[in-house]
Every structure is written in C-alpha cells, then in structure tokens.
Amino acid sequence: MDLRRVYSGDGPVAYWRPVDGARHAMLPTERPHPGQQRKSLCGEDITITKASPEDWLAPTCAACWDAARTRGDEAAQRNAPAVRPRTK
C-alpha cells in the first residue's frame, strides 16, 4: 500500500471511527473524541463513542472509503515531486 494515500505531509486524510455497525471516516480537522457530534465523509451525522476492539471489526462504510481514497489520491498528487522534462 502506498502510504501517501493514507497520510500526506499535511497529516492524515481522514480519521476513522466505528459507529452504528460500520467504520466511518471524518475530516481530519480535529481528532474525534467520544461524545462528539461529527459529520462523516459519507454525509451521516454520527456521535463518536468509545470503541471496543470488536467494534473495529465492523465493515468499512463504502462511501466513506471512496471519499477518503479520493482525498488521499489528491494529497498524493499535491505532494508528488514535479516531473522535469528530459533534455538531450
């Protein structure tokens, strides 16, 4: 896995938390804490809870995954080294 898709030089592209039977992603503007109300990348309003080890085995929300992957790809693109044209 290319870590540039998960972590950019600016920080993580999303925070993940299991909520209501699925792992949802949130914008990385602040670290999620139990009791917070947040909007997930799929658009759901969620309340962060204290996750048990079993909670992390919940399936990943497909819409959150797609949005997080897009954010990671965009971050990797921004941080990619510039390609210089070849000279003879």
Side-chain angles (χ1 to χ4, degrees):
M1 171 183 245
D2 184 355
L3 290 179
R4 289 178 299 175
R5 296 180 74 175
V6 179
Y7 184 86
S8 73
D10 302 326
V13 297
Y15 282 118
W16 293 88
R17 292 296 182 269
V19 177
D20 296 331
R23 289 178 295 165
H24 288 279
M26 291 145 277
L27 290 174
T29 52
E30 65 176 301
R31 195 174 279 256
H33 297 284
Q36 282 183 327
Q37 297 283 328
R38 300 282 296 269
K39 185 166 291 283
S40 66
L41 294 184
C42 70
E44 282 193 40
D45 291 317
I46 58 175
T47 300
I48 307 301
T49 59
K50 183 168 174 39
S52 72
E54 293 81 19
D55 290 336
W56 289 100
L57 300 175
T60 299
C61 171
C64 282
W65 176 255
D66 289 341
R69 188 178 60 221
T70 298
R71 289 178 54 80
D73 289 345
E74 290 168 353
Q77 194 94 26
R78 283 191 308 271
N79 294 325
V83 177
R84 292 182 165 182
R86 287 187 181 192
T87 57
K88 291 185 179 186

